[in-house]
Amino acid sequence: MPLDRVTGAPRPPAMRARPTIAHLDADAFFASVEQHQRPSLRGRPVLVGGVGPRGVVATASYEARAYGARSAMPMEQARRMCPTATVVVPRFDAYSAYSAQIMEVLREVSEQVEAISIDEAFAELDHLPGSSADLEALALEFRRRAHERTGLSVSLGLGRSKLVAKLASEAAKPGGVKVVDPADEDAFLLALPVRALWGVGPVSAARLDQLGVRTVEDLRAQPMDTLVMATGEAAGTNLYRIARGWDDRPVTTVRERKSAGAEHTFDDDLHGRRAIAAALDGVTDSALRRLDRHGVAARTVVVKVRVASFTTITRSVTLSRPTSDVDALREAARRALDLAEVVEPVRLLGVSFHGLSAHSQLMLPLGGDGTEAALAAGTTDGAALLGDLPTATTADDGTLTAVADDGPATVVPTRVTAADLAPGLDVETDRGRGWVVHLGDDGRVAVRFETAQTGPGYQRWVDPRTEDLRLVGALGPDGREASAAAEVTDPAVGEAAAEPGED
């Protein structure tokens, strides 16, 4: 942060004169897609997430939030709070198709669109003339077009910085538009709780609370030295800056991929080194497939372990150079697991690859001649991985499926049994297309035959042993197969899960 040469105080950056950064955020995105595609769910509480005993809520519909259900909450707790909720697993092919249409609405007006997750993006509007009222009218048009193409509600915020634009879109939820003029910025910011600020997590908030800092106004009153002493140099400097709305970051259209990985929460704790190591290999293979799809090499391998006491440990192994050699990366993951020195039963394992590069070099086996493995002790906050968004499995049998960030994959209709399915997946019979509502103990499957185009449909029990039941791909907002209708709009969809929060 630049300092004033005379006073030595931090100097504000040059800021815009108009609120020309827009932030669009789809409201309760995953749940809203489910309600749009499944008309019988509209107006009803919906929970999207893992359906196993250790599943986590990815998104709760607004109807479910009225009961206290929230994202990142254990699914069992959310079900107790909202027993009437319909629970479905995530379907990222559908979400990618809807996201593509929403992002296209922004790109029709601005060439500079920065997608920061599958359901939110910044757009640069500085090239457009007009007053704040004109920009607000444009934001209202964005909202209308997004709803017209997808049937979903989106919220938009406009400000002279990314910080204010994002806070404004949050204030506009659900389905609103808020424009914060530079002259009104202080009045908007100072009343907010400090936890609302980007980058202020539970740990920082607790430390600030000890200083009596609960609002942005309280935060702004603190000298930078006090903030640095309480939270550290980087965090304290950042808090001083954002408390004043100082944010001159531009909207960028290219986002460098920082990591690729996968993780899995097990229905039953893993006991013993052999069982844990065997499970790690499966998670590593899933992460390697993601790395291969991105066509990049990695230099650092991070293993995340969450034990039965909910303590999270991360350990990393850094190689001498980036590599895409599967054996070297797999061995590095095993080495990182050894460094964790796990003694408790394990409930979650994750593997992620960092230090990504478009270029790789052949690696010798880890620990062999010519290999320089730098071992770094990890943290206990699990920040290195994609977070706790539930893995969408096809059954409670330990099947590993990484959180998707690669756009829709083509799904070939495949005949299935109840063991292959989970609530929310798309299926079809000779009578038509529907979705799995419930799996019976007798092997039958409750299917509701409906799409966004048909309106609310009827429910029927299907016995896959006597009737052809096929698993099919999701539909996009236009009713076409998502694999044909959507294109990848965000190179870092998975990273959106790094810090779960309400959307």
Side-chain angles (χ1 to χ4, degrees):
M1 181 182 297
L3 302 179
D4 188 280
R5 293 181 180 180
V6 177
T7 65
R11 198 172 55 202
M15 300 291 292
R16 300 169 184 238
R18 297 187 300 147
T20 53
I21 291 182
H23 180 261
L24 180 148
D25 195 351
D27 301 324
F29 182 54
F30 293 175
S32 294
V33 171
E34 300 300 336
Q35 290 175 320
H36 181 253
Q37 291 206 335
R38 282 79 190 262
S40 61
L41 298 180
R42 295 172 189 172
R44 298 174 180 241
V46 175
L47 300 171
V48 181
V51 297
R54 290 183 171 172
V56 177
V57 177
T59 304
S61 70
Y62 283 101
E63 295 84 357
R65 294 180 193 184
Y67 291 85
R70 293 290 185 271
S71 64
M73 176 182 287
M75 184 62 79
E76 287 192 349
Q77 180 184 353
R79 280 174 153 168
R80 287 194 299 270
M81 299 178 83
C82 186
T84 60
T86 298
V87 180
V88 296
V89 297
R91 299 179 304 129
F92 291 97
D93 50 352
Y95 308 150
S96 294
Y98 278 73
S99 175
Q101 291 297 314
I102 292 172
M103 300 303 171
E104 186 59 30
V105 168
L106 292 176
R107 291 192 175 97
E108 289 173 354
V109 174
S110 175
E111 294 182 357
Q112 290 179 267
V113 174
E114 179 182 347
I116 58 174
S117 74
I118 196 170
D119 62 343
E120 59 179 316
F122 290 107
E124 176 61 77
L125 305 179
D126 200 45
H127 61 288
L128 299 175
S131 65
S132 294
D134 297 323
L135 293 171
E136 182 175 9
L138 179 61
L140 290 168
E141 179 63 14
F142 281 155
R143 186 184 64 173
R144 186 194 67 78
R145 291 185 194 177
H147 185 270
E148 183 179 74
R149 295 187 190 180
T150 66
L152 303 187
S153 167
V154 301
S155 299
L156 287 109
L158 274 68
R160 62 173 178 166
S161 66
K162 285 182 171 180
L163 170 70
V164 172
K166 184 170 173 63
L167 291 170
S169 70
E170 185 65 30
K173 284 183 172 293
V177 168
K178 185 170 183 62
V179 179
V180 180
D181 276 311
D184 302 325
E185 199 170 277
D186 278 355
F188 173 69
L189 281 176
L190 295 178
L192 293 174
V194 71
R195 188 67 176 87
L197 294 176
W198 224 350
V200 179
V203 174
S204 298
R207 291 175 180 169
L208 292 171
D209 188 68
Q210 293 175 352
L211 299 175
V213 174
R214 296 175 181 85
T215 67
V216 177
E217 184 173 15
D218 297 334
L219 183 63
R220 189 179 291 189
Q222 299 298 315
M224 190 164 73
D225 290 347
T226 301
L227 297 176
V228 168
M229 288 179 62
T231 63
E233 173 115 19
T237 302
N238 182 60
L239 288 171
Y240 186 91
R241 179 178 60 82
I242 61 178
R244 289 155 177 78
W246 295 353
D247 179 12
D248 59 350
R249 292 172 299 159
V251 176
T252 58
T253 56
V254 178
R255 299 183 67 219
E256 180 182 359
R257 173 167 291 279
K258 296 181 179 179
S259 67
E263 63 180 42
H264 183 68
T265 300
F266 302 95
D267 290 341
D268 299 306
D269 289 344
L270 302 177
H271 296 263
R273 296 180 64 179
R274 182 175 299 178
I276 295 169
L280 180 77
D281 287 342
V283 180
T284 303
D285 288 343
S286 184
L288 284 168
R289 285 192 293 271
R290 289 163 58 85
L291 188 71
D292 181 65
R293 285 197 295 268
H294 297 308
V296 293
R299 187 170 179 233
T300 298
V301 182
V302 178
V303 167
K304 173 182 175 181
V305 183
R306 180 166 296 150
V307 296
S309 64
F310 282 88
T311 299
T312 300
I313 308 164
T314 63
R315 293 293 183 266
S316 64
V317 169
T318 299
L319 306 174
S320 59
R321 59 191 67 86
T323 184
S324 56
D325 185 287
V326 170
D327 292 334
L329 294 171
R330 188 178 285 115
E331 181 61 26
R334 293 169 182 159
R335 185 78 171 272
L337 178 63
D338 289 341
L339 290 172
E341 298 180 343
V342 179
V343 294
E344 294 184 57
V346 169
R347 60 181 284 118
L348 177 148
L349 286 172
V351 176
S352 64
F353 301 111
H354 300 257
L356 305 187
S357 170
H359 305 285
S360 65
Q361 298 181 31
L362 180 65
M363 295 297 299
L364 297 175
L366 187 66
D369 294 338
T371 302
E372 304 163 4
L375 308 180
T379 64
T380 57
D381 61 7
L385 276 175
L386 299 180
D388 298 325
L389 199 65
T391 301
T393 60
T394 57
D396 294 335
D397 60 359
T399 303
L400 292 170
T401 305
V403 175
D405 67 358
D406 307 293
T410 301
V411 178
V412 178
T414 305
R415 184 166 181 172
V416 292
T417 66
D420 302 312
L421 298 172
L425 294 180
D426 296 273
V427 293
E428 68 177 3
T429 70
D430 293 340
R431 298 192 181 190
R433 170 184 280 271
W435 59 281
V436 176
V437 178
H438 183 69
L439 303 176
D441 294 334
D442 58 359
R444 295 188 303 158
V445 180
V447 177
R448 185 171 293 278
F449 293 88
E450 64 181 0
T451 68
Q453 285 70 37
T454 65
Y458 66 95
Q459 181 172 311
R460 184 172 69 86
W461 284 95
V462 177
D463 189 341
R465 294 163 295 194
T466 60
E467 186 174 350
D468 189 14
L469 181 64
R470 298 176 295 276
L471 184 66
V472 295
L475 299 178
D478 56 2
R480 295 189 297 154
E481 287 279 352
S483 56
E487 61 185 58
V488 178
T489 61
D490 175 23
V493 168
E495 279 73 2
E499 186 177 335
E502 293 303 334
D503 57 354

